[in-house]
Amino acid sequence: MAAGSYVDKRVNACAGSGGSCPIGVVVKYWYKQGSASRGVGWVYASRNGVRSGALRWHVKTPGGSWKVGAGWKRAVSRGGFVEASWGKDGHTGPKYPRNTRICSEYRGLATKACVTLK
């Protein structure tokens, strides 16, 4: 890999009880080889077993406190689950340090699904 080239990653997680990922999060992020900064291009959140609701995501940098990454967004129904997404694919979006945590939250549910940007 050439010095300074981009590395694109995708991480996902599920949380909650049950076998079909009750609440989920997927984050696509990128960084330049050797950099400690991570750019978040796209965040996707979902909840199974519901037909409506709202989702948002939170971010926590190492040593920092939790902050809302994006406010509540009405989820789109896809039959047996709902979903919402923020951002777009590519090397755009907010930048955070390595080991930042991102969690998705469904309104009214205490359980959150979280990933770490490595």
Side-chain angles (χ1 to χ4, degrees):
M1 190 176 302
S5 62
Y6 287 106
V7 177
D8 293 288
K9 298 269 185 169
R10 177 181 163 143
V11 290
N12 61 297
C14 292
S17 58
S20 61
C21 193
I23 186 162
V25 64
V26 180
V27 177
K28 290 178 90 174
Y29 68 99
W30 55 273
Y31 57 94
K32 279 195 172 185
Q33 186 70 17
S35 173
S37 179
R38 304 296 185 249
V40 175
W42 181 73
V43 177
Y44 169 89
S46 64
R47 168 120 194 254
N48 276 326
V50 295
R51 291 187 183 175
S52 64
L55 293 151
R56 70 177 175 180
W57 60 278
H58 300 267
V59 61
K60 181 181 184 295
T61 57
S65 58
W66 286 102
K67 294 182 174 32
V68 173
W72 292 112
K73 187 173 190 178
R74 180 183 287 298
V76 176
S77 177
R78 299 288 183 217
F81 71 99
V82 295
E83 65 181 8
S85 64
W86 299 263
K88 58 184 178 179
D89 207 2
H91 299 156
T92 62
K95 292 184 180 172
Y96 302 106
R98 182 182 321 163
N99 294 322
T100 292
R101 301 268 298 155
I102 293 180
C103 297
S104 68
E105 177 185 12
Y106 180 83
R107 184 178 279 163
L109 186 66
T111 303
K112 295 174 179 65
C114 301
V115 295
T116 301
L117 308 181
K118 294 290 182 182

